[in-house]
Amino acid sequence: MPAYIFKIGGSILFDGEILKTELIQKWINVINELVSSGNRVGIVIGGGRPARKYIKAASELGANKSYQDLLGIESARQNARLFIAALNQSYPTPPKNYEELIHALGTHDLVICGGFQPGQSTNAVAAIFSETIGAKYLFNITNIDKVYNKDPDNSKMR
Ligand code: UTP
């Protein structure tokens, strides 16, 4: 069965504080079409603006990097739940880790993830998901405007 992975950057889901529901609906339509044509589909959603806000606040309040990451993970999982809310053939929650992802794939052709563990980004989740499902393509949808040789956002430097 063909398999596709889409990593949807949280950054493209928001216009300021507003969630872009019209754009999200277009993604929902694409996902529905792929699943109903017999494909396995993995979606990984990033943390976007809420993740940045919580990570910045936690940093100012003295939280360590791993705990800041937990906040980013929860933001990404919340964004993933929004997609799940609109896609009732999906596994009903964003898997918390790799092991739960494997379980989810045992029963569902559509699984939607946020973050897994501290020390990585949702791009890593998408790569792990691709390997697990044997995806032919991994599409990474983001608003990064160029290729950088180091992280352009100093707040994320370790
Ligand atoms: P991302 O940085 O992956 O989301 O996760 P994003 O910014 O929406 O993605 P792009 O850049 O638009 O493509 C948000 C934060 O959540 C934590 C990290 O702190 C990350 O910066 N995170 C996410 C983890 O620690 N582990 C994960 O598996 C995923």
Side-chain angles (χ1 to χ4, degrees):
M1 190 188 270
Y4 296 85
I5 302 290
F6 294 90
K7 155 70 205 293
I8 303 180
S11 46
I12 69 158
L13 300 179
F14 288 84
D15 184 5
E17 299 291 323
I18 308 292
L19 273 157
K20 298 200 272 191
T21 45
E22 278 180 25
L23 177 75
I24 294 170
Q25 184 61 59
K26 285 184 188 158
W27 276 108
I28 302 291
N29 296 345
V30 170
I31 297 163
N32 264 326
E33 206 171 305
L34 280 169
V35 176
S36 50
S37 347
N39 299 289
R40 300 190 92 190
V41 181
I43 310 290
V44 181
I45 313 285
R49 194 180 171 98
R52 303 280 163 263
K53 268 193 345 197
Y54 275 101
I55 288 170
K56 182 168 179 287
S59 164
E60 286 166 10
L61 293 168
N64 66 43
K65 291 280 187 193
S66 298
Y67 210 92
Q68 292 172 34
D69 281 348
L70 278 187
L71 293 170
I73 290 165
E74 288 304 324
S75 296
R77 296 186 79 236
Q78 167 137 305
N79 292 338
R81 281 189 200 281
L82 189 64
F83 278 70
I84 292 171
L87 286 157
N88 50 19
Q89 70 273 52
S90 167
Y91 185 72
T93 61
K96 282 201 169 80
N97 52 42
Y98 177 57
E99 194 170 5
E100 199 184 329
L101 172 65
I102 299 169
H103 277 288
L105 287 169
T107 52
H108 287 71
D109 289 331
L110 173 62
V111 180
I112 303 175
C113 294
F116 279 0
Q117 78 255 1
Q120 61 177 40
S121 79
T122 49
N123 286 335
V125 176
I128 291 165
F129 202 156
S130 298
E131 184 189 42
T132 307
I133 206 173
K136 192 165 178 192
Y137 297 105
L138 161 53
F139 297 93
N140 196 334
I141 298 104
T142 182
N143 67 357
I144 304 301
D145 54 357
K146 56 183 91 161
V147 175
Y148 297 90
N149 63 4
K150 60 181 187 227
D151 192 332
D153 179 354
N154 283 335
S155 68
K156 290 199 305 187
M157 299 285 273
R158 295 181 178 232

